[in-house]
Amino acid sequence: MGIYRQDMLKRFSVSLEEHLLEQFDEYITQHGYSNRSEAIRDLIREKLINKQWQQDSEVVGVVTLVYDHHQAQLQERITELQHHYYQLITSTTHVHMDHHNCLEVTIVKGNAFTVQELAEKMIVLRGVKNGNLTMSSTGDDLH
Ligand code: NI
């Protein structure tokens, strides 16, 4: 576990082809960034977080499932998986979307590979209409 650090901001300059810079500025406008620095910071963090997930570091994530609760045994299978991987699960929120559909959000924390294993097992369950894993991390201890 890393500790929160308020690092000093350092400046550096970047050389970029004009055409690439134009595209980047368009990207910045489309995404509502107020300046290039903030956009570059986010892109770097995203890349480094992806790397953490590939290296089995300690990560946090959210597994989102949309499913029809009438699907035979689906709810039981989800619960079974959640109990099997209980050490990874921080919390679960269930929303009844309409007469048929449920949204279940599971917040997970642990080693990246095990978290991905759990997410995959949940997403491929028969009756899950949409499932995904949002991967994040505190960004500490990036190597
Ligand atoms: Ni429901």
Side-chain angles (χ1 to χ4, degrees), residues 78-115:
I78 292 172
T79 306
E80 222 169 82
L81 277 174
Q82 288 171 341
H83 279 278
H84 186 75
Y85 290 89
Y86 73 94
Q87 282 157 321
L88 293 183
I89 294 173
T90 302
S91 77
T92 301
T93 299
H94 186 102
V95 177
H96 309 302
M97 295 172 75
D98 55 34
H99 285 289
H100 303 282
N101 295 298
C102 303
L103 167 73
E104 189 151 304
V105 176
T106 307
I107 299 176
V108 286
K109 184 168 174 265
N111 289 342
F113 293 172
T114 322
V115 167

Side-chain angles (χ1 to χ4, degrees), residues 6 23 25 40 47 54 64 83 97-98 117 129 131 138:
Q6 186 64 59
Q23 283 182 306
D25 284 340
I40 287 171
K47 276 284 168 202
Q54 284 160 18
T64 306
H83 279 278
M97 295 172 75
D98 55 34
E117 186 183 286
K129 295 176 173 179
T138 59

